[in-house]
Each structure stands twice: as C-alpha cells, then as structure tokens.
Amino acid sequence: MEIDIDTIGEEIGLFEAIRTTRAIRRIKPDPVPPELIRKVCEAGTFAPSGGNRQPWFFIAVTDADKRAHIAKLYRQTFSRYIEPARKAAEDPAYQDAKRRNMNAAIWLAEHLHEVPVHLFVAGWTRRGRPQSQALLPAIQNILLACRAVGLGASLTTSHGAHQREIDDMLGLSEETPSIALIPIGWPIGKYGKPPRRSVDECLFFERYQERKADQDLPPPQ
Ligand SMILES: Cc1cc2nc3c(=O)[nH]c(=O)nc-3n(C[C@H](O)[C@H](O)[C@H](O)COP(=O)(O)O)c2cc1C
C-alpha cells in the first residue's frame, strides 16, 4: 500500500474525528510504516502540559520477541478479568455495547503479540511520582491522529503490574516510567461512534444538580 505521509489523515474534520475515535482493539498483524508512527507521535507532542514541560517519551516496539514477552506479561494481569468478563458477557441482561467492548478487550489480550506496534508512553516523574495526568492529553492526541490516518489504536494500562520489568527492557529508568501502552496497527473493524452518555446528562451551567437520569445509569465499569 502506497502511503503519502504528508497528506494522509489531513482531511478529516476535527469533530468527526473526535466523535468517531473509539477503542480499536482488533488489529491486523501487517506492519505499519515507521514514518506513520512518527506522524501520530508528532501529534502527541502538540499536547498541553504543566509549565509546558513536555515530559513525554514514546517508545515504539516492533521486535516480535519483545512484543511476545510484553503480551505474555499483559495477559498475566488481564487474565484475572477474563473469566469474570466472559461470564458477565454471557448474561442476557448485559448490554450489547458492554459485551462488545469486553469481548474486544479479551481479543486484544489474547492477540497482543500479533499487534505490529506496541507504543509505550513514558514521562519524567515529578517529585518522584509518575505523572499520568501530564501524559494523557498527548495520548489522546495520538489516538485521534491514529483515527485520522486510519490506524487502529486503544489506550491500555494493564502492563502496569509488570511495568518495571518492561521498562528495563525498553531502557526506561525510574525517572521516566511508562504509564500506558497503545497497541497500534491496521484495524480489522471500522471506526465509528462509541456508546457515550448524552452531553445533556453531563453538562451544567453554574451549578451541578443531581438528575434522575444519573441514578438510572449503570455504574461505571
Ligand atoms: C486510564 C485507562 C486505562 C485503560 N486500560 C485499558 C486496558 O488495560 N485494556 C483495555 O483493553 N482497555 C483499556 N482502556 C480502554 C477503555 O476500556 C476504553 O476506552 C473503553 O472501553 C471505551 O471504549 P470505546 O471508546 O470503544 O467505547 C483504558 C482506558 C483508560 C482511560
């Protein structure tokens, strides 16, 4: 596939991209050009950060052995959710959207080694503490940029239980811990509008007021 890095993804409207960026976890094993990874990470570098410190580092892992090892560790953490999740998904009362989401998360855990790019987002600590909040805007920019260029991506943190071992493999020190893993590749499915609460349930002017609808919503997952 011939890709023009300068033009790919430049046409999509901002609001269309925002509304149709959902977690794409089913990914083909086909390789992704490094220049395209550079392009989506460059979008990450335009994120805001406290004091404009720009604490981020992006480590793109494509080596098959390393990906297999990362996937094994990710599965070790995720496995404790798999059986309860499968059981919950079998319950007829379980909402379709949640079932699809859970099945996709299980698929990712089982196929992570096949996903061609494991993009880790790491950042300088502040007063000895990792700064997830300083990195999340960069991560969201990367997810939006992936959507724009047609790459599938999702935000994951389940590598966290083995973060030190993984960071050693990536050459990251305790001063620059990884906080997220974004598996990236060409999607098997399609981007589309994700299930979300209506803005009218979430938006208030001047003062928050409890609404009946809040009580009817399922508890957050
Ligand atoms: C802080 C954070 C951590 C997450 N960790 C994981 C994860 O480890 N594995 C995973 O499959 N999804 C993870 N997700 C993705 C969410 O589950 C996903 O955004 C949610 O299911 C909504 O999906 P949708 O955008 O397709 O509707 C994480 C999301 C956030 C914000």
Side-chain angles (χ1 to χ4, degrees):
M1 186 175 34
E2 207 40 46
I3 293 174
D4 183 341
I5 301 294
D6 290 335
T7 58
I8 189 170
E10 301 284 334
E11 292 296 314
I12 188 168
L14 177 63
F15 278 91
E16 190 198 343
I18 288 171
R19 289 190 193 108
T20 58
T21 297
R22 63 180 185 85
I24 301 280
R25 299 186 179 97
R26 291 187 169 87
I27 299 281
K28 296 177 189 165
D30 311 8
V32 176
E35 309 81 52
L36 206 47
I37 295 301
R38 181 183 180 278
K39 180 163 181 155
V40 298
C41 288
E42 187 191 31
T45 66
F46 284 98
S49 59
N52 198 19
R53 275 184 287 272
Q54 307 175 46
W56 41 70
F57 296 96
F58 312 113
I59 298 97
V61 179
T62 59
D63 177 84
D65 291 339
K66 286 186 184 154
R67 285 184 290 130
H69 190 57
I70 292 161
K72 193 181 91 185
L73 297 175
Y74 182 99
R75 265 192 298 278
Q76 275 176 22
T77 307
F78 200 82
S79 61
R80 75 174 78 120
Y81 303 112
I82 290 184
E83 272 325 301
R86 269 198 230 283
K87 280 218 166 63
E90 280 163 17
D91 180 347
Y94 204 69
Q95 295 161 18
D96 272 355
K98 279 192 181 167
R99 182 178 297 117
R100 274 199 302 276
N101 187 47
M102 195 44 83
N103 285 336
I106 293 170
W107 192 97
L108 176 65
E110 289 174 346
H111 293 81
L112 185 57
H113 55 289
E114 294 164 13
V115 177
V117 182
H118 291 186
L119 183 68
F120 285 87
V121 179
W124 285 309
T125 52
R126 196 152 159 71
R127 299 189 189 97
R129 300 237 292 270
Q131 296 188 81
S132 302
Q133 77 275 21
L135 302 175
L136 285 165
I139 290 169
Q140 182 63 14
N141 273 7
I142 291 172
L143 295 174
L144 287 168
C146 284
R147 192 270 170 264
V149 302
L151 286 169
S154 58
L155 164 57
T156 82
T157 50
S158 295
H159 78 289
H162 302 279
Q163 178 238 330
R164 202 52 266 151
E165 181 181 343
I166 291 175
D167 284 5
D168 281 346
M169 187 172 81
L170 304 180
L172 289 167
S173 74
E174 292 192 0
E175 279 78 52
T176 54
S178 66
I179 65 119
L181 159 59
I182 309 178
I184 299 180
W186 300 108
I188 292 173
K190 286 194 173 69
Y191 273 106
K193 204 165 166 254
R196 293 293 187 264
R197 294 165 65 206
S198 158
V199 62
D200 299 317
E201 287 173 15
C202 315
L203 172 66
F204 300 86
F205 288 93
E206 318 311 344
R207 194 176 157 81
Y208 170 74
Q209 250 187 328
E210 234 177 80
R211 288 177 182 156
K212 176 82 174 66
D214 287 341
Q215 287 140 25
D216 294 342
L217 285 170
Q221 295 296 307

